[in-house]
Every structure is written in structure tokens, then in C-alpha cells.
């Protein structure tokens, strides 16, 4: 039998198909911020992808619990991650000296 596969598809504003990327995780929430897509999965991974190429910008961060929601602050300085157990994880964005 075939496994269910998850994919991220990219279309232009006019509806032209631009590409797709197969995902290993089941996406639970996503947020488009500037030139990036921030995604959380039920397998507990936080991923940041380039909006135009759909490639990973950094390796996925393991949160160890399913992610229920994500949000990015107005200044793009932090990512807020809500987990299944009710915890809120705050991830700093940028170089370590800036965070």
C-alpha cells in the first residue's frame, strides 16, 4: 500500500505552478514572513524554508512535542511556538550575538 505523502506546492499570484517540495512531516501550522515560510509539524519540527525555492534555510529544529501553532513577531526577531502540552517556546532569529 502507498503511504500518505505530504507536499508543499508553490503557485504564482496568477495561478501558475512554480514548484513543489515533498515533506517528511505533517504540517500543523505555517506562517509566511517576508521571503520565508515558517512551518511547524505534528512530529515536533520547526522548519524555515525559502519562499521561492522551497528549500530549507536551516536544518529543522526539534521541539520534541507536536507543534500546534506558530507566529513571528512584528520585528521578525523571534518565532513563537505553541506546543501540545501548552508550553510556549520562544526562538530567537538571527546570529547568536543579535539574539
Amino acid at each position: 500500500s502507498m503511504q500518505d505523502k505530504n507536499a508543499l506546492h508553490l503557485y504564482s499570484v496568477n495561478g501558475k505552478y512554480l514548484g513543489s517540495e515533498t515533506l517528511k512531516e505533517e504540517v500543523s501550522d505555517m506562517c509566511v514572513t517576508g521571503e520565508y515560510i515558517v512551518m511547524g509539524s505534528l512530529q515536533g519540527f520547526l522548519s524555515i524554508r525559502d519562499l521561492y525555492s522551497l528549500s530549507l534555510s536551516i536544518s529543522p529544529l526539534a521541539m520534541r512535542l507536536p507543534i500546534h501553532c506558530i507566529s513571528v513577531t512584528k520585528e521578525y526577531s523571534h518565532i513563537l511556538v505553541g506546543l501540545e502540552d501548552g508550553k510556549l517556546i520562544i526562538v530567537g532569529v538571527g546570529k547568536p550575538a543579535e539574539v
Side-chain angles (χ1 to χ4, degrees):
S1 68
M2 252 180 111
Q3 292 181 350
D4 290 338
K5 294 193 177 190
N6 300 299
L8 186 62
H9 300 283
L10 181 64
Y11 291 87
S12 72
V13 174
N14 298 327
K16 180 181 176 188
Y17 176 76
L18 299 175
S20 66
E21 185 71 30
T22 303
L23 305 175
K24 296 177 183 175
E25 302 96 28
E26 186 177 348
V27 176
S28 56
D29 196 17
M30 72 169 33
C31 179
V32 176
T33 304
E35 296 183 1
Y36 297 96
I37 303 170
V38 182
M39 298 187 315
S41 72
L42 292 178
Q43 288 73 23
F45 290 99
L46 178 69
S47 304
I48 301 173
R49 293 181 174 271
D50 181 82
L51 179 60
Y52 304 107
S53 69
L54 300 180
S55 62
L56 284 170
S57 296
I58 61 166
S59 5
L61 301 172
M63 298 288 147
R64 298 195 173 116
L65 289 171
I67 295 173
H68 278 227
C69 62
I70 57 169
S71 182
V72 178
T73 59
K74 189 165 58 171
E75 302 83 20
Y76 308 125
S77 59
H78 294 84
I79 300 171
L80 310 174
V81 183
L83 301 180
E84 182 179 55
D85 65 354
K87 289 181 183 169
L88 176 67
I89 305 296
I90 301 172
V91 180
V93 177
K95 297 176 184 168
E98 297 172 354
V99 175

